[in-house]
């Protein structure tokens, strides 16, 4: 089996990836502005109507997770296309369903007033206490369903293409090398894409099912589901989907570090074992979101705690270790994309630590409804996942000929990083001080940290805008991405 095949992307494929990055950048910045508004409101620097805060929180939480998926899909598709033959129209369809779905969600939330958070916990969408009409709930849930369907098709196409080349999913996960003696394992990108396709297909099927049930419930209230079962399905879907966004983004590290250093990233046994283990663990760890639910079977929660400790770690360890081994004494010349990829791996690793603390049942019962939780996930999503995506985008922009004074890029980088650290630390510190999450209205003691958060958020937005501007100003027509 050939390890690096390097199929050449068609012009249409390159344009599709460029379109993904444009949508990613625009929606990301818009969602960041909503985040800034929320933090300004919590810091008493602007006064938003309470409904608007919760609508913004719903749009921001849902939209950010979606846009992380869009960015991750662009990375996965771009690099997987080097190894297997993917279908461009399926990829484009996923972007279209995202754009239409995101439009539906924004209309449902800002015009229709829907504000049940990304969690849309049953039966809240149908029991709004006058805050929104059933149509708003239906449009929001319908938008989510549309987006989920697009992603489902996207992953199914990757599965089709992977099977076409490797014959079976276990081969694509590298089992003949892991358990046997096949000296040519599939490239890391194929391993990661297979894992993500398996996990996310399951997650999306559960998500779509609970969305359909909730939609029917809106129209036929007698048609109900057990609320605890619904919550399990929603968190299974949400947990798997957001984890998958990281496993998609990390592909950029696997593909680009070898390009920088001229050293191939050949999966070894620990690497393959980590990805196979995490395929199962990521599915089984989701009960860490339900540790406060006394209605849950206790054994399931204990299992959730234990599996959470080990679920993300294997991949993180093989990635961080592999990255260090490739970079070590390679003479790598640091530039903007490499720096952003590095910060991405760092932010991911840093965000896992508070997550592990929170996955401990006794800690969780004190910390879970505090800002500690937004603290940990903003670390691994904003600094980590988004950091890797910005690294990928600037690498692609560079390849397309984007050239700007390097001092501008360095300034943008450090503004983004400083803001990201400030924002996540403001959340973690507040959580440590027991400031609750999802509160629009703050007590005077909480306001100072929110203001530091707001200032940091402004820096993140400035840094991100500068990074994007650098790409837009420097690259040629949209099709130029190479
Ligand atoms: C400038 C960058 C950002 C700012 C200022 C920001 C700000 C905020 C704020 C203030 C909240 C509400 C916290 C609370 O009181 O509970 C929040 C929640 C959230 N954010 Fe961000 N955020 C940013 C970036 C991101 C990114 C990059 C992601 C994901 C990729 C993300 C995902 C989320 C999610 C999932 C929630 C939870 C919403 C909920 O509790 O229902 N955020 N963010
Ligand atoms: Cu989780």
């Amino acid at each position: 089996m050939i390890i690096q095949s390097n199929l050449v992307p068609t012009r249409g494929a390159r344009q599709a990836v460029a379109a993904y990055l444009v949508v990613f950048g625009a929606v990301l910045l818009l969602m960041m502005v909503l985040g800034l508004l929320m933090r300004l409101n919590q810091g008493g620097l602007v006064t938003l109507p309470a409904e608007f805060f919760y609508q913004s929180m719903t749009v921001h939480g849902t939209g950010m997770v979606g846009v992380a998926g869009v960015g991750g899909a662009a990375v996965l598709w771009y690099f997987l296309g080097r190894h297997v033959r993917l279908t461009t129209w399926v990829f484009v369809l996923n972007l279209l369903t995202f754009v239409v779905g995101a439009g539906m969600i924004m209309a449902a939330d800002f015009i229709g007033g829907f504000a049940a958070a990304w969690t849309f916990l049953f039966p809240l969408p149908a029991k709004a206490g006058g805050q929104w009409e059933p149509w708003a709930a239906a449009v929001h849930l319908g938008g989510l369903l549309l987006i989920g369907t697009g992603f489902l098709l996207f992953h199914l196409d990757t599965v089709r293409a992977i099977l076409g080349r490797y014959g079976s999913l276990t081969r694509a996960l590298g089992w003949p090398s892991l358990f046997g003696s096949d000296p040519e394992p599939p490239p890391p990108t194929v391993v990661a894409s297979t894992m993500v396709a398996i996990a996310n297909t399951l997650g999306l099927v559960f998500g779509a099912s609970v969305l359909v049930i909730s939609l029917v419930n809106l129209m036929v209230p007698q048609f109900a589901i057990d609320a605890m079962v619904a919550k399990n399905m929603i968190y299974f879907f949400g947990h798997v989907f957001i984890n998958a966004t990281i496993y998609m983004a990390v592909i950029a590290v696997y593909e680009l570090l070898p390009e920088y250093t001229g050293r191939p990233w050949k999966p070894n046994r620990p690497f393959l074992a980590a990805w196979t283990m995490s395929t199962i663990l990521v599915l089984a760890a989701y009960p860490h979101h339900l540790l406060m639910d006394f209605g849950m079977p206790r054994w399931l929660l204990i299992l959730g705690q234990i599996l959470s400790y080990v679920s993300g770690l294997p991949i993180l360890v093989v990635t961080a270790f592999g990255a260090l081994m490739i970079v070590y004494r390679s003479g790598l010349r640091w530039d903007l994309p490499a720096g952003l990829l590095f910060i991405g791996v760092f932010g991911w690793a840093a965000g896992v630590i508070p997550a592990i603390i929170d996955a401990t049942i006794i800690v969780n019962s004190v910390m879970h409804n505090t800002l500690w939780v937004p603290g940990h996930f903003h670390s691994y999503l904003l600094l980590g996942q988004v950091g890797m995506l910005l690294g990928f985008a600037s690498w692609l922009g560079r390849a397309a000929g984007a050239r700007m004074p390097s001092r501008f890029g360095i300034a943008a980088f450090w503004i983004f990083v400083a803001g990201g650290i400030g924002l996540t630390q403001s959340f973690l510190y507040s959580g440590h001080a027991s400031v609750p999450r999802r509160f629009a209205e703050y007590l005077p003691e909480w306001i100072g940290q929110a203001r530091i958060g707001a200032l940091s958020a402004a820096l993140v937005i400035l840094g991100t805008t500068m990074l994007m501007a650098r790409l837009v100003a420097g690259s040629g027509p949209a099709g130029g991405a190479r």
Side-chain angles (χ1 to χ4, degrees):
M1 201 171 288
I2 318 151
I3 192 159
Q4 295 287 352
S5 45
N6 282 327
L7 299 173
V8 181
T10 62
R11 186 180 160 77
R14 286 185 273 124
Q15 281 173 337
V17 172
Y20 262 71
L21 292 181
V22 168
V23 170
F24 167 74
V27 179
L28 178 73
L29 279 174
L30 189 63
M31 296 301 123
M32 282 182 168
V33 170
L34 291 178
L36 170 65
L37 278 177
M38 283 191 282
R39 218 64 188 120
L40 283 171
N41 181 72
Q42 289 171 331
L45 296 168
V46 300
T47 309
L48 304 175
E51 318 81 88
F52 183 74
F53 178 92
Y54 291 105
Q55 292 160 12
S56 303
M57 192 187 86
T58 305
V59 171
H60 173 90
T62 315
M64 276 297 195
V65 172
V67 89
V70 163
V75 171
L76 184 151
W77 201 80
Y78 183 86
F79 290 120
L80 185 62
R82 288 179 169 182
H83 309 289
V84 300
R85 287 186 197 285
L86 297 163
T87 319
T88 304
W89 70 261
V90 176
F91 183 58
V92 173
L93 183 66
N94 183 34
L95 187 65
L96 290 180
T97 50
F98 175 78
V99 171
V100 175
M104 286 168 71
I105 289 171
M106 282 202 262
D109 298 11
F110 287 137
I111 301 171
F114 183 81
W118 81 261
T119 42
F120 58 90
L121 281 181
F122 180 87
L124 186 57
K127 301 217 161 113
Q131 285 293 309
W132 60 80
E133 303 287 319
W135 74 260
V139 173
H140 179 101
L141 299 180
L144 269 181
L145 188 60
L146 189 64
I147 294 176
T149 312
F151 272 97
L152 192 59
L153 295 176
F154 166 80
H155 288 299
L156 290 178
D157 182 57
T158 66
V159 167
R160 178 203 53 72
I162 289 171
L163 288 179
R165 167 112 197 240
Y166 293 90
S168 78
L169 293 180
T170 50
R171 266 186 94 104
L173 283 172
W175 283 17
S177 306
L178 176 60
F179 300 114
S181 54
D182 184 348
E184 290 298 340
T189 300
V190 172
V191 177
S193 304
T194 307
M195 181 274 202
V196 169
I198 297 172
N200 233 6
T201 301
L202 284 168
L204 286 165
V205 166
F206 276 90
S209 315
V210 69
L211 280 168
V212 170
I213 294 168
S214 300
L215 277 166
V216 177
N217 172 262
L218 275 172
M219 285 165 259
V220 189
Q222 301 88 315
F223 183 88
I225 178 177
D226 180 86
M228 199 73 242
V229 172
K231 187 172 181 184
N232 273 269
M233 291 170 78
I234 291 168
Y235 273 95
F236 176 73
F237 147 70
H239 161 87
V240 170
F241 190 86
I242 199 62
N243 275 276
T245 68
I246 296 186
Y247 298 144
M248 295 196 262
V250 78
I251 292 174
V253 176
Y254 295 152
E255 292 275 348
L256 294 183
L257 278 188
E259 223 153 277
Y260 269 94
T261 58
R263 297 175 174 177
W265 190 313
K266 190 174 168 183
N268 52 17
R269 277 216 172 87
F271 181 95
L272 298 171
W275 278 90
T276 288
M277 270 163 64
S278 287
T279 310
I280 298 153
L281 290 175
V282 73
L283 299 175
Y286 86 91
H288 60 210
H289 294 277
L290 297 114
L291 298 179
M292 297 190 77
D293 288 279
F294 47 83
M296 286 287 286
R298 182 133 186 97
W299 62 267
L300 197 59
L301 299 185
I302 293 173
L303 197 71
Q305 165 174 332
I306 297 167
L307 294 182
S308 299
Y309 288 164
V310 287
S311 113
L313 276 183
I315 295 184
L316 179 58
V317 171
V318 293
T319 303
F321 189 72
L324 289 177
M325 290 320 287
I326 284 204
V327 170
Y328 181 65
R329 289 201 171 164
S330 66
L332 169 76
R333 291 184 52 187
W334 289 97
D335 59 5
L336 186 62
L340 285 165
L341 289 175
F342 180 82
I343 269 296
V345 176
F346 162 81
W348 175 25
V352 164
I353 299 164
I356 287 185
I357 297 175
D358 187 59
T360 308
I361 295 175
I362 28 175
V363 179
N364 186 275
S365 55
V366 184
M367 300 294 258
H368 194 68
N369 284 332
T370 72
L371 283 173
W372 183 263
V373 172
H376 95 66
F377 67 69
H378 281 90
S379 304
Y380 74 66
L381 291 174
L382 174 61
L383 278 175
Q385 207 263 358
V386 171
M388 291 190 251
L389 293 180
L390 292 174
F392 168 69
S394 49
W395 172 81
L396 210 57
R398 160 92 43 97
R403 293 276 181 279
M404 286 284 258
S406 67
R407 250 183 282 155
F408 184 82
I410 296 173
F413 175 82
W414 286 111
I415 292 172
F416 172 78
V417 172
I421 293 178
L423 180 71
T424 49
Q425 290 307 308
S426 85
F427 279 141
L428 286 171
Y429 183 83
S430 306
H432 179 253
S434 293
V435 179
R437 72 181 282 203
R438 292 180 169 163
F439 270 43
E441 213 62 43
Y442 269 25
L443 295 176
E445 306 84 289
W446 306 342
I447 282 178
Q449 299 142 43
R451 290 188 173 168
I452 295 176
L455 176 71
S456 310
L459 289 179
V460 172
I461 294 174
L462 176 65
T464 311
T465 311
M466 286 168 75
L467 289 170
M468 305 270 182
R470 196 174 164 277
L471 292 180
V472 175
S475 47
R482 193 176 62 84

